[in-house]
């Protein structure tokens, strides 16, 4: 294994140039059993397989992603390789490249690596959401509303917020983490567990606090999915103010320009 | 002005986990009272009065709790509560004589400084500060809160009193949120997914049905065999029947040859034509009929006289493959002007 690593390291720069769309991470400190095959290994692997086989495996990966995305839980590369790719792991980069292309051209979705260290992927919409009355009468998920409120508060407060602020704000909205909510059930669990697993929020313990306190931040998924500019617009609408009156937040929203990128750290 | 004692009405959690108590109580509820009784060199009454010491410590704890519990309230730029707390702490500090109280004072300072830092960062922010309480108010209106028309004070407790939220309150927010979030739409099969539930009940039904049918078969085996017969027997019957037709036609007019095509073709049904060809081939295979070409080089068929059949056959056997398509069939009908079938279809349609 270690011998194979060295050649792939030397090829790593050319390999990363070849991968388009998904940012496939370098392999130096990879803990997983899959060491990223080099381009020549991929080529050799491709020669042994028929195009139909490669297409079939790509389709399986696409379907795996789509089903996993129903719950909005990120896909781990280790799981993907173990359950879907299996013996085709030698051509893993090629399969991922094709899957990304399928998502892009067929579904209008982007496959993004939100965690380069642990290799986790999510799907987001390539298209901007249409403002105004919803054309599709698809059912809305109230949890999305809850998540949006929390993200808004965190953003307007500069990006990090102590959990008590969130709980007290929610209480004012008749959502009490100590009680069972008729819409959300166990509110605390939804916020600190479900949203965190979906990577909409980060719930981090503040050191040296007694009793233990946590703080909330935006999660990796929120960074790429949620538009800060649009949150400011909503704030302006609610408070009947110009969004630009929140100078710092406005600057923050417009510093990450245009298409949000995975893993970009927002400036505090 | 917020007094420390007043603020401590429902302060439950103390720093060291002891039960909440008011000042001036003589009971010992925490373990740190023991030290006060150790003989120190200076015996100034005030400095070592345990009840006074407890009182000061209790006040400090109240102050700390009030800062922690009412954090958001104190953060609001609209009030000076933090300053009041600090002033209160200053007053208390004058009476501090021992390390334990000073430690509490230091703790209060840490908590207050933390709060002060946050307040300062609020002020430092340019533009409008963000007030979560105001945000919550606006959001409630957005969600369609029906406030009571009396204009009752919202300080009253109970959810139902200060207006109720419509059922779709959070859906409204979610709908608004959709515009701001580039979430991938959830994947669902259009026609629904396949559920594995139906099979178990079906199996039960099948078992029940099998039982009676077995009994039924036991009763009627002989009859069934007679009636249905095997496919082989059906074919044999057909072949015999066709042979019968052939012989009868031949006997009608032994001299004129029977055109093969006229014989097998059924102008009403292509499939019956094919069946006729099939069955006729058996006749020829078994040597019960023979085909020859007439003067016009058209195939003719005639039954073999019984005397002519020779086992082994001195006459040479030739094989040929007959094929026919619907198009050919129509052409033959036209060419031979076949109006009716020579082989009547059998009455029982067993196939």
């Amino acid at each position: 294994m270690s011998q194979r690593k060295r050649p792939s390291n030397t090829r790593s720069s050319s390999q990363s140039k070849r991968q388009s769309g998904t940012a496939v991470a370098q392999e130096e400190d990879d803990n997983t059993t899959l060491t990223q095959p080099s381009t020549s290994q991929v080529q050799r692997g491709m020669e042994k397989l028929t195009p139909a086989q490669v297409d079939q495996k790509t389709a399986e990966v696409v379907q795996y992603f789509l089903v996993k995305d129903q719950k909005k839980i990120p896909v781990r590369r280790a799981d993907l390789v173990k359950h879907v790719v299996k013996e085709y792991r030698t051509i893993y980069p090629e399969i991922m490249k094709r899957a990304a292309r399928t998502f892009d051209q067929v579904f209008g979705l982007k496959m993004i690596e939100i965690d380069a260290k642990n290799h986790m992927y999510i799907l987001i919409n390539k298209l901007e959401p249409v403002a105004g009355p919803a054309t599709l009468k698809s059912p809305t998920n109230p949890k999305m509303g809850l998540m949006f409120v929390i993200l808004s508060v965190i953003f307007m407060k500069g990006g990090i917020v102590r959990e008590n602020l969130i709980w007290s704000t929610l209480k004012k909205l008749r959502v009490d983490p100590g009680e069972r909510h008729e819409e959300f059930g166990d509110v605390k669990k939804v916020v600190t567990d479900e949203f965190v697993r979906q990577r909409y929020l980060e719930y981090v313990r503040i050191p040296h606090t007694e009793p233990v306190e946590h703080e909330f931040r935006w999660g990796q998924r929120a960074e790429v999915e949620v538009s800060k500019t649009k949150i400011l617009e909503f704030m302006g609408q609610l408070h009947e103010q110009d969004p630009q009156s929140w100078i710092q937040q406005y600057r923050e929203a417009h510093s990450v320009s245009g298409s949000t990128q995975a893993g970009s750290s927002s400036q505090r | 002005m917020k007094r420390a004692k007043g603020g401590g009405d429902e302060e439950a959690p103390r720093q060291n986990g002891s039960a909440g108590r008011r000042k001036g109580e003589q009971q010992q509820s925490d373990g740190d009272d023991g030290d006060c009784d150790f003989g120190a060199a200076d015996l100034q009454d005030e400095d070592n009065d345990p009840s006074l010491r407890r009182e000061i410590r209790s006040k400090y704890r109240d102050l700390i709790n009030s800062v922690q519990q009412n954090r958001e309230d104190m953060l609001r730029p609209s009030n000076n509560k933090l300053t009041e707390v600090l002033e209160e702490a200053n007053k208390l500090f004058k009476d501090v004589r021992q390390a334990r109280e000073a430690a509490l004072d230091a703790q209060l300072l840490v908590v207050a400084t933390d709060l002060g830092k946050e307040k300062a960062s609020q002020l430092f922010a340019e533009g409008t500060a963000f007030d979560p309480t105001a945000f919550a108010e606006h959001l409630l209106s957005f969600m369609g809160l029906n406030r009571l028309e009396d204009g009752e004070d919202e300080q009253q407790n109970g959810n139902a009193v200060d207006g109720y939220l419509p059922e779709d309150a959070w859906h409204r927010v979610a709908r608004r949120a959709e515009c701001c979030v580039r979430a991938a739409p959830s994947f669902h099969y259009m026609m629904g997914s396949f559920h594995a539930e139906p099979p178990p009940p079906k199996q039960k039904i099948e078992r029940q049905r099998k039982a009676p049918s077995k009994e039924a078969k036991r009763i009627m085996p002989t009859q069934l065999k007679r009636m249905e017969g095997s496919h082989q027997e059906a074919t044999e019957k057909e072949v015999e029947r066709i042979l019968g037709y052939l012989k009868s036609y031949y006997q009608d007019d032994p001299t004129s040859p029977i055109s093969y095509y006229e014989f097998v073709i059924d102008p009403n049904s292509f499939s019956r034509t094919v069946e006729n060809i099939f069955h006729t081939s058996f006749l020829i295979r078994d040597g019960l009929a023979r085909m020859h070409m007439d003067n016009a080089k058209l195939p003719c068929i005639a039954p073999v006289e019984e005397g002519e059949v020779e086992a082994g056959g001195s006459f040479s056997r030739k094989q040929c493959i007959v094929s026919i398509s619907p198009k050919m069939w129509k052409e033959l009908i036209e060419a031979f002007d076949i109006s009716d079938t020579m082989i009547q279809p059998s009455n029982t349609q067993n196939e």
Side-chain angles (χ1 to χ4, degrees):
Chain A
M1 278 304 225
S2 57
Q3 280 185 353
R4 215 187 285 167
K5 260 191 181 177
R6 284 192 213 107
S8 68
N9 273 345
T10 56
R11 289 178 200 273
S12 61
S13 54
S14 62
Q15 185 183 333
S16 58
K17 279 180 207 155
R18 280 187 55 138
Q19 310 299 339
S20 61
T22 64
V24 179
Q26 308 296 318
E27 286 324 294
E28 288 88 343
D29 300 314
D30 198 2
N31 292 333
T32 62
T33 52
L34 170 73
T35 49
Q36 202 73 303
S38 64
T39 41
S40 65
Q41 282 177 322
V42 170
Q43 274 173 358
R44 266 185 273 127
M46 290 289 284
E47 283 161 18
K48 293 182 192 163
L49 300 163
T50 66
Q53 283 173 314
V54 179
D55 285 341
Q56 169 75 16
K57 196 47 78 173
T58 307
E60 284 173 19
V61 167
V62 166
Q63 191 166 22
Y64 183 79
F65 260 94
L66 287 171
V67 174
K68 274 283 196 177
D69 186 64
Q70 283 175 350
K71 294 270 169 66
K72 298 291 176 204
I73 308 281
V75 171
R76 288 175 51 225
R77 187 171 80 184
D79 287 339
L80 192 64
V81 171
K82 183 172 154 201
H83 296 297
V84 185
V85 179
K86 292 189 204 168
E87 66 273 14
Y88 287 63
R89 53 179 69 190
T90 44
I91 57 163
Y92 174 81
E94 180 65 25
I95 292 181
M96 289 303 271
K97 194 169 89 173
R98 290 183 186 208
R101 196 171 62 210
T102 305
F103 283 124
D104 184 67
Q105 293 174 348
V106 176
F107 294 95
L109 301 175
K110 258 202 260 193
M111 186 171 81
I112 292 194
E113 186 171 26
I114 53 166
D115 189 337
K117 185 165 166 254
N118 299 319
H119 304 295
M120 310 194 62
Y121 299 92
I122 59 165
L123 291 177
I124 69 167
N125 209 328
K126 217 175 91 173
L127 307 167
E128 285 295 326
V130 178
T135 47
L136 259 181
K137 288 293 175 189
S138 56
T140 48
N141 183 2
K143 281 186 190 167
M144 171 75 81
L146 180 66
M147 184 265 298
F148 183 69
V149 165
I150 297 175
L151 285 178
S152 304
V153 171
I154 298 175
F155 168 61
M156 295 302 285
K157 289 302 255 178
I160 312 181
V161 154
R162 288 182 104 118
E163 61 177 314
N164 289 328
L165 178 64
I166 299 292
W167 302 135
S168 71
T169 309
L170 288 182
K171 269 197 201 132
K172 296 191 178 100
L173 298 170
R174 320 289 174 83
V175 177
D176 191 339
E179 293 169 6
R180 188 165 181 89
H181 191 263
E182 60 178 19
E183 193 93 60
F184 303 119
D186 185 348
V187 174
K188 192 140 194 268
K189 184 156 178 244
V190 168
V191 173
T192 60
D193 183 46
E194 190 176 322
F195 287 163
V196 173
R197 266 190 295 127
Q198 293 174 335
R199 299 298 197 276
Y200 277 115
L201 291 177
E202 267 182 31
Y203 184 63
V204 175
R205 193 180 149 172
I206 307 173
H208 311 305
T209 49
E210 195 65 41
V212 177
E213 272 184 60
H214 300 79
E215 52 190 21
F216 281 106
R217 299 170 197 226
W218 274 39
Q220 297 142 326
R221 182 189 284 271
E223 292 285 349
V224 291
E225 267 190 21
V226 184
S227 158
K228 292 175 176 161
T229 318
K230 299 225 170 93
I231 288 186
L232 262 184
E233 275 174 29
F234 181 50
M235 289 297 152
Q237 181 193 339
L238 271 190
H239 291 78
E240 289 171 352
Q241 281 176 329
D242 185 3
Q244 293 199 25
S245 64
W246 290 283
I247 299 181
Q248 270 201 328
Q249 290 89 338
Y250 187 81
R251 241 189 260 141
E252 159 83 20
H254 287 268
S255 65
V256 186
S257 59
S259 58
T260 50
Q261 296 167 358
S264 64
S265 58
S266 49
Q267 301 148 10
R268 296 277 175 251
Chain B
M1 184 153 109
K2 195 171 186 181
R3 304 204 122 266
K5 278 183 262 178
D9 32 329
E10 69 251 35
E11 317 296 356
R14 299 287 182 186
Q15 290 304 312
N16 47 14
S18 60
R21 58 192 167 90
R22 300 281 163 256
K23 57 109 181 168
E25 284 168 0
Q26 296 296 326
Q27 307 157 6
Q28 296 186 24
S29 60
D30 56 1
D32 59 4
D33 273 77
D35 282 342
C36 301
D37 297 326
F38 286 164
D42 43 0
L43 289 166
Q44 294 174 22
D45 289 340
E46 214 182 69
D47 292 355
N48 284 338
D49 180 10
S51 61
L52 190 61
R53 299 296 116 211
R54 278 200 294 272
E55 186 182 330
I56 292 178
R57 283 197 298 273
S58 161
K59 281 185 187 167
Y60 265 119
R61 286 193 204 103
D62 289 344
L63 269 180
I64 292 170
N65 281 325
S66 79
V67 173
Q68 281 180 331
Q69 299 289 329
N70 302 316
R71 188 191 177 87
E72 294 77 34
D73 208 21
M74 292 205 172
L75 269 179
R76 298 181 77 164
S78 51
N79 60 45
N80 275 332
K81 290 185 181 168
L82 187 59
T83 318
E84 290 159 14
V85 165
L86 287 173
E87 283 171 359
E88 189 71 27
N90 275 341
K91 281 192 207 156
L92 272 182
F93 191 69
K94 292 194 182 100
D95 292 329
V96 164
R97 295 287 178 273
Q98 295 182 354
R100 183 153 281 109
E101 296 128 32
L104 280 173
D105 181 80
Q107 195 175 355
L108 175 62
L109 199 60
V110 166
V111 169
T113 318
D114 195 41
L115 200 65
K117 179 186 91 171
E118 216 174 302
K119 274 197 99 162
S121 68
Q122 261 185 9
L123 293 170
F124 200 52
E126 305 161 83
T128 325
F130 176 72
D131 184 10
T133 311
F135 168 63
E137 291 294 313
H138 289 299
L139 197 61
L140 283 171
S141 302
F142 178 81
M143 293 204 275
L145 176 77
N146 293 313
R147 295 176 201 278
L148 295 181
E149 283 157 5
D150 293 359
E152 285 177 41
D153 206 2
E154 284 178 10
Q155 302 263 334
Q156 293 184 20
N157 289 334
N159 296 333
V161 180
D162 31 338
Y164 68 95
L165 278 176
E167 275 198 24
D168 67 338
W170 283 103
H171 286 272
R172 288 193 207 190
V173 183
R175 180 70 75 191
R176 184 64 175 85
E178 278 177 0
C179 304
C180 311
V181 178
R182 276 161 47 157
S186 283
F187 168 75
H188 292 291
Y189 289 104
M190 280 172 68
M191 306 301 282
S193 62
F194 174 73
H195 281 295
E197 291 157 27
K202 275 183 188 171
Q203 283 172 7
K204 289 175 196 168
I205 295 168
E206 280 175 15
R207 281 182 214 137
Q208 287 165 8
R209 280 183 192 161
K210 272 180 189 170
S213 64
K214 275 183 189 163
E215 290 169 13
K217 278 191 181 168
R218 276 186 228 140
I219 297 169
M220 303 175 30
T222 50
Q223 291 181 10
L224 282 171
K225 278 185 188 167
R226 269 184 221 161
M227 280 175 63
E228 290 203 7
S230 62
H231 284 281
Q232 269 188 333
E233 288 193 8
T235 311
E236 280 180 30
K237 277 192 200 154
E238 267 302 295
V239 172
E240 276 186 36
R241 203 168 64 90
I242 290 177
L243 184 60
Y245 274 112
L246 187 63
K247 282 187 177 165
S248 72
Y249 285 128
Y250 188 70
Q251 273 163 12
D252 286 345
D253 190 0
T255 50
S256 72
I258 305 169
S259 162
Y260 174 73
Y261 289 123
E262 284 184 30
F263 183 65
V264 292
I265 286 182
D266 181 346
N268 303 317
S269 163
F270 174 70
S271 52
R272 279 207 286 272
T273 305
V274 175
E275 279 177 23
N276 294 338
I277 297 176
F278 175 63
H279 294 130
T280 316
S281 68
F282 278 95
L283 289 176
I284 299 188
R285 180 195 74 172
D286 294 338
L288 298 166
R290 57 186 166 88
M291 277 173 67
H292 62 276
M293 308 292 257
D294 69 359
N295 301 333
K297 298 283 186 193
L298 292 171
C300 295
I301 188 169
V304 169
E305 299 301 314
E306 295 200 5
E308 291 180 37
V309 177
E310 290 171 17
S314 59
F315 51 87
S316 62
R317 288 216 179 185
K318 290 198 175 106
Q319 288 185 17
C320 78
I321 296 172
V322 180
S323 68
I324 189 167
S325 70
K327 187 172 166 224
M328 267 166 48
W329 172 65
K330 283 185 190 150
E331 284 171 4
L332 285 168
I333 292 172
E334 258 190 63
F336 286 90
D337 199 19
I338 302 169
S339 54
D340 198 12
T341 176
M342 288 178 79
I343 303 172
Q344 296 301 323
S346 61
N347 292 331
T348 52
Q349 298 283 335
N350 280 346
E351 313 289 325

